[in-house]
Amino acid sequence: MAMACSGHMPVVAKPQPRTHSRTRHSPSNTCEISSSSLHFLGKDTAPTRRFHASPIKNATFARRSKLALVATAKPDPLGIMISGAPASGKGTQCELITRKYGLAHIAAGDLLRAEVAAGSENGKRAKECMEKGQLVPDEIVVLMVKERLLQSDSLENGWLLDGYPRSLSQATALQEYGIQADLFILLEVPEEILVERVVGRRLDPVTGRIYHLKHSPPETEEIAARLTQRFDDTEEKVKLRLRTHHQNVEAVLSLYKDITIKVNGDAPKEDVFAQIDIALSKLLEQRKATSGSLAA
């Protein structure tokens, strides 16, 4: 039988594709980085990329990281002590050492004056002693030195202790605080040369510059006329100071004999520094080698 047609075809719903998807589990050694996770970094969106971890590549990366760590490992900073008799050229060598090696230059006399000027607790105690005409006790000076050695520039760059310790008691006190140097430099100059250097030394009170009548005379007559001489820069007094210095140094060396180098100070300053430079360079190389072997 024929069916009547009304002119409208019935609408048959077309099946829609399934919108859900199965979750695929990646192997344990697969890392997925999706485009959405990179979007906040300003990266262009892209389909998910998979990077498969490789044990060989991981081992190579670890080795390279280790090598980089060794290469960038910084050896411990140097701790240097330098001693020399009056007019031995110690001040000049300290300047040359700090200029090349960047060590913190620490002189006990400078520390003492700075603490007194700052009105610190140690400075007040030191000032009381000086006003009474007494020597500042070792315990006060050692505390000043210890605190200075704990400042950031000394800890990071190393330090150069100028003319200290001067006695066995000072050296012992430093050791009790755990302060140990890597090298003790002793400048040696014959006594007759030291006497000549000291007796001929003059001070310009206007500029603070030190002259020597023979080796570094003043530039003009005007400067020469105003030069002064320290009251203890006489032959008799300098010999007494040298005798005391030698006695004290011998006592100090008994504690530092294993790290002491003796440098000929009776030479041009460049030649004296060349001797010191060789010792410090060798010490640094040994330190780097030790640091590298420990990192390995």
Side-chain angles (χ1 to χ4, degrees):
M1 178 183 295
M3 293 184 62
C5 180
S6 63
H8 296 281
M9 296 293 292
V11 179
V12 179
K14 184 178 180 181
Q16 297 297 322
R18 300 172 67 178
T19 57
H20 65 279
S21 61
R22 294 181 180 176
T23 302
R24 296 183 60 188
H25 297 281
S26 302
S28 58
N29 64 340
T30 300
C31 172
E32 294 193 358
I33 305 176
S34 66
S35 59
S36 60
S37 65
L38 296 176
H39 181 69
F40 75 98
L41 295 175
K43 303 292 184 180
D44 293 335
T45 58
T48 299
R49 300 180 60 191
R50 294 182 176 84
F51 296 90
H52 293 272
S54 167
I56 296 177
K57 290 183 179 179
N58 285 345
T60 302
F61 176 78
R63 285 195 298 271
R64 289 177 179 174
S65 299
K66 187 175 182 180
L67 289 173
L69 181 63
V70 172
T72 57
K74 185 178 180 181
D76 292 336
L78 296 177
I80 307 298
M81 294 176 176
I82 184 169
S83 177
S88 62
K90 178 168 58 63
T92 299
Q93 295 307 315
C94 285
E95 181 181 347
L96 295 174
I97 292 170
T98 53
R99 185 185 304 168
K100 177 168 183 178
Y101 291 93
L103 306 178
H105 181 203
I106 303 171
D110 294 341
L111 284 181
L112 193 60
R113 288 185 286 272
E115 293 284 343
V116 171
S120 67
E121 189 63 31
N122 285 331
K124 291 176 182 178
R125 295 173 61 192
K127 186 177 181 181
E128 290 177 4
C129 296
M130 290 186 289
E131 288 177 345
K132 296 177 182 178
Q134 301 173 347
L135 292 175
V136 179
D138 285 344
E139 63 182 33
I140 296 178
V141 182
V142 170
L143 279 175
M144 292 181 181
V145 172
K146 179 181 76 76
E147 291 173 2
R148 180 64 183 87
L149 291 174
L150 291 176
Q151 292 183 14
S152 59
D153 60 339
S154 300
L155 295 174
E156 295 172 6
N157 305 322
W159 45 267
L160 174 65
L161 201 49
D162 178 359
Y164 195 88
R166 295 184 178 182
S167 65
L168 181 60
S169 60
Q170 293 171 354
T172 303
L174 288 178
Q175 285 197 340
E176 289 175 353
Y177 279 119
I179 299 171
Q180 179 63 44
D182 299 302
L183 193 66
F184 188 97
I185 302 170
L186 178 62
L187 297 176
E188 292 189 317
V189 181
E191 183 169 314
E192 60 272 17
I193 300 297
L194 292 172
V195 171
E196 180 193 16
R197 289 180 181 179
V198 171
V199 172
R201 190 165 56 186
R202 297 292 185 274
L203 170 68
D204 183 348
V206 175
T207 63
R209 181 176 173 182
I210 301 294
Y211 290 91
H212 192 277
L213 298 180
K214 178 180 179 181
H215 304 294
S216 179
E219 296 87 353
T220 65
E221 290 295 331
E222 179 184 358
I223 296 176
R226 67 181 187 232
L227 295 182
T228 61
Q229 184 181 26
R230 275 178 47 166
F231 74 94
D232 55 351
D233 277 356
T234 62
E235 183 171 350
E236 179 183 358
K237 291 185 177 179
V238 74
K239 286 184 176 180
L240 180 61
R241 287 159 59 195
L242 290 175
R243 190 176 305 116
T244 302
H245 167 77
H246 294 318
Q247 291 173 350
N248 288 335
V249 165
E250 288 302 318
V252 170
L253 288 181
S254 65
L255 289 183
Y256 298 119
K257 59 183 178 181
D258 293 335
I259 60 169
T260 297
I261 62 164
K262 296 182 178 181
V263 175
N264 177 22
D266 184 21
K269 62 181 181 181
E270 297 83 4
D271 296 342
V272 176
F273 178 66
Q275 301 173 62
I276 297 174
D277 191 26
I278 290 173
L280 293 181
S281 298
K282 183 178 180 181
L283 184 60
L284 272 179
E285 289 300 321
Q286 293 174 345
R287 184 68 58 81
K288 289 178 180 177
T290 302
S291 178
S293 62
L294 289 176

